[in-house]
Amino acid sequence: MIQDDETELLLRARAVRENAHAPYSGFRVGAAIRGCSGRIFVGCNVENASYPQGTCAEAGALSAMVAAGDRRVGAVAVIADGDIPVPPCGGCRQKLMEFGAGDVVVTMAALNGEISRMTLAELLPGAFGAANLSVTGT
Ligand code: THU
């Protein structure tokens, strides 16, 4: 059932958030991705004293998916603290789009239980993708 699938993703994202390494921002994020095989992959943000080296939760979950052999994103859930559901950052929208169709639903959640949903196409309209690279240039 779709609702149960989403609940499972959110629970996995909430659980992995506990492992986040976010001593600099104090903003812990958890992400869960259901690959098209049905398996779930999770990731949390991993910050670094050299700030730009930190990685987002979604990037970690995507890496786990690809390393496990799945190549398509079926659904995504992201959760963080704060009053409003956390949206993926711009870079993560692009990363998710690499492996997901525009109609993939991203469920964004706050720890207080608030939830919002958007598709990847809504999150990243006019996305740059592989098709753009096939244009022949000079
Ligand atoms: N962060 C994520 O993990 N995912 C997002 O989509 C938004 C931002 C992390 C990065 C950084 O560790 C912290 O949240 C504050 O920006």
Side-chain angles (χ1 to χ4, degrees), residues 3-135:
Q3 205 59 35
D4 289 347
D5 286 352
E6 182 182 70
T7 301
E8 187 184 13
L9 266 193
L10 282 168
L11 285 174
R12 295 289 300 274
R14 182 182 278 260
V16 73
R17 178 188 162 278
E18 298 293 328
N19 295 334
H21 175 69
Y24 308 107
S25 72
F27 190 72
R28 294 191 291 161
V29 186
I33 293 175
R34 188 181 296 281
C36 282
S37 68
R39 292 179 294 175
I40 293 176
F41 306 96
V42 297
C44 55
N45 54 332
V46 182
E47 297 182 350
N48 193 283
S50 176
Y51 295 169
Q53 302 306 324
T55 51
C56 285
E58 298 90 327
L62 260 183
S63 290
M65 184 193 84
V66 173
D70 265 24
R71 283 292 181 274
R72 300 303 295 166
V73 169
V76 183
V78 194
I79 190 165
D81 208 345
D83 294 335
I84 52 169
V86 59
C89 77
C92 285
R93 295 176 194 206
Q94 180 71 30
K95 289 183 175 81
L96 290 167
M97 193 62 111
E98 178 74 15
F99 298 100
D103 63 356
V104 164
V105 174
V106 179
T107 303
M108 300 163 277
L111 288 183
N112 64 12
E114 209 179 310
I115 283 179
S116 68
R117 298 175 186 85
M118 289 178 80
T119 64
L120 270 183
E122 288 170 335
L123 287 166
L124 193 64
F128 176 86
N132 299 106
L133 293 174
S134 63
V135 175

